[in-house]
């Protein structure tokens, strides 16, 4: 049986710089998975490649067993929410209209769906508000609502709560759980290890453009197998000499 998403031997070398290096990633497990690793490890590039926005120099990308569509078109059936949500000038509802994907859907029917979506993400009171005036947390909820409205089978989230306060983070995490409960698979990146522990059941650890470890989230935090993951959880520098003996990951990293 085909995995929902599979990246096999994927390398990406813009200008000769190795960003992804024969990366292997197979998404066939629990509803919510996390992609974690140090800055510059290739997390965001992996999501963009999985979505079809970047084409690898080597290797294959398959979504539901299908290769990417021709040109620079992203996969249908996927949605990607970037770390910094982009909004167009206009109202909150105007921004949701960008998600309209069913040609046969009437304007009135789509408006009904959009208004229900705003209720689900807690933005119904802001339907006519200028999207560019929203707070960071409100913008991110609107971006997720816009993606959710397309009924994706895979939702990719790149640092969905970066720079948000704890209350906004909690609201975003609740939305991610709701989306996954509705049958959509979620793959997200995050440097917030507490968030990774709360949301995901599976972790892919990436380092220098390669997936070096995959496993259940609880196992990853309790006893990471790779030296790279051990050092990451300790907050050590990635270029530390390999002669150093790694310590066990501190329990405080998942609080």
């Amino acid at each position: 049986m085909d995995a929902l998403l599979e990246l096999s031997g994927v390398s990406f070398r813009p200008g000769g710089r190795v960003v992804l290096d024969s990366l292997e990633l197979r998404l066939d497990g629990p509803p919510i998975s996390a992609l974690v690793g140090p800055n510059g490890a290739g997390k965001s590039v992996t999501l963009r490649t999985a979505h079809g926005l970047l084409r690898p120099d080597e290797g294959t990308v398959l979504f539901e067993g299908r290769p990417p569509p021709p040109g620079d078109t992203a996969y249908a059936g996927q949605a990607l929410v970037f770390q910094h949500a982009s909004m167009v000038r206009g109202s909150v509802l105007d921004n949701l209209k960008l998600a309209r994907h069913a040609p046969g859907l009437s304007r009135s029917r789509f408006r009904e769906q959009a208004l229900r979506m705003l209720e689900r993400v807690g933005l119904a009171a802001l339907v006519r508000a200028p999207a560019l005036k929203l707070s960071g947390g409100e913008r991110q909820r609107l971006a997720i609502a816009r993606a959710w409205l397309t009924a994706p089978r895979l939702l990719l989230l790149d640092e969905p709560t970066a720079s948000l306060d704890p209350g906004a983070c909690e609201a975003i995490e609740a939305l991610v759980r709701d989306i996954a409960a509705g049958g959509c698979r979620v793959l997200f990146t995050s440097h917030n290890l507490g968030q990774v522990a709360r949301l995901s059941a599976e972790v892919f650890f990436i380092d220098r453009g390669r997936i070096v470890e995959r496993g259940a989230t609880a196992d990853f935090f309790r006893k990471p197998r790779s030296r790279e993951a051990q050092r990451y959880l300790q907050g050590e520098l990635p270029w530390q000499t390999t002669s150093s003996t790694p310590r066990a990951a501190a329990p405080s990293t998942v609080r």
Side-chain angles (χ1 to χ4, degrees):
M1 183 175 181
D2 291 329
L4 178 69
L5 173 70
E6 185 167 13
L7 282 68
S8 180
V10 168
S11 294
F12 184 62
R13 298 184 294 268
R17 181 172 64 94
V18 177
V19 178
L20 300 182
D21 184 14
S22 299
L23 181 140
E24 303 281 338
L25 188 152
R26 182 179 174 90
L27 198 64
D28 57 1
I32 305 178
S33 301
L35 178 64
V36 302
N39 286 327
K43 299 184 296 298
S44 296
V45 173
T46 298
L47 292 192
R48 286 161 173 75
T49 303
H51 194 44
L53 297 181
L54 296 176
R55 300 302 162 94
D57 296 302
E58 294 174 1
T60 59
V61 180
L62 298 175
F63 173 61
E64 299 178 324
R66 296 178 284 115
D72 58 357
T73 305
Y75 273 112
Q78 287 188 18
L80 170 60
V81 177
F82 297 97
Q83 178 176 342
H84 302 291
S86 297
M87 299 290 135
V88 300
R89 189 179 301 276
S91 69
V92 166
L93 183 59
D94 289 334
N95 275 265
L96 270 192
K97 289 177 181 177
L98 298 176
R100 188 173 179 181
H101 67 292
L105 196 65
S106 68
R107 289 187 179 183
S108 60
R109 179 61 177 157
F110 177 79
R111 180 183 172 85
E112 291 175 6
Q113 291 185 358
L115 292 176
R116 284 200 299 271
M117 181 59 70
L118 290 178
E119 289 278 1
R120 298 180 80 172
V121 302
L123 295 176
L126 299 175
V127 61
R128 295 183 179 85
L132 297 179
K133 298 293 186 180
L134 298 179
S135 69
E138 290 167 343
R139 281 192 182 203
Q140 200 67 353
R141 278 187 282 156
L142 179 56
I144 291 174
R146 194 166 55 194
W148 197 2
L149 198 55
T150 67
R153 296 179 292 282
L154 173 62
L155 176 62
L156 305 169
L157 301 171
D158 192 5
E159 292 284 349
T161 61
S163 303
L164 299 185
D165 61 51
C169 288
E170 185 177 353
I172 297 297
E173 289 178 15
L175 288 180
V176 173
R177 292 189 187 95
D178 287 347
I179 291 169
C184 176
R185 188 73 61 82
V186 178
L187 176 64
F188 73 98
T189 72
S190 181
H191 284 291
N192 184 335
L193 297 185
Q195 181 175 85
V196 171
R198 288 189 298 272
L199 278 181
S200 70
E202 176 183 53
V203 166
F204 295 89
F205 180 76
I206 184 172
D207 185 67
R208 296 179 179 89
R210 287 175 173 258
I211 301 296
V212 298
E213 186 166 341
R214 174 191 181 181
T217 301
D219 294 339
F220 175 77
F221 283 114
R222 182 169 53 247
K223 192 175 181 180
R225 299 186 303 276
S226 64
R227 180 169 292 187
E228 295 90 345
Q230 291 168 356
R231 288 177 173 168
Y232 174 74
L233 291 175
Q234 296 164 26
E236 294 182 6
L237 298 177
W239 52 84
Q240 183 169 339
T241 59
T242 56
S243 61
S244 301
T245 301
R247 303 182 301 274
S252 60
T253 57
V254 299
R255 293 177 182 172

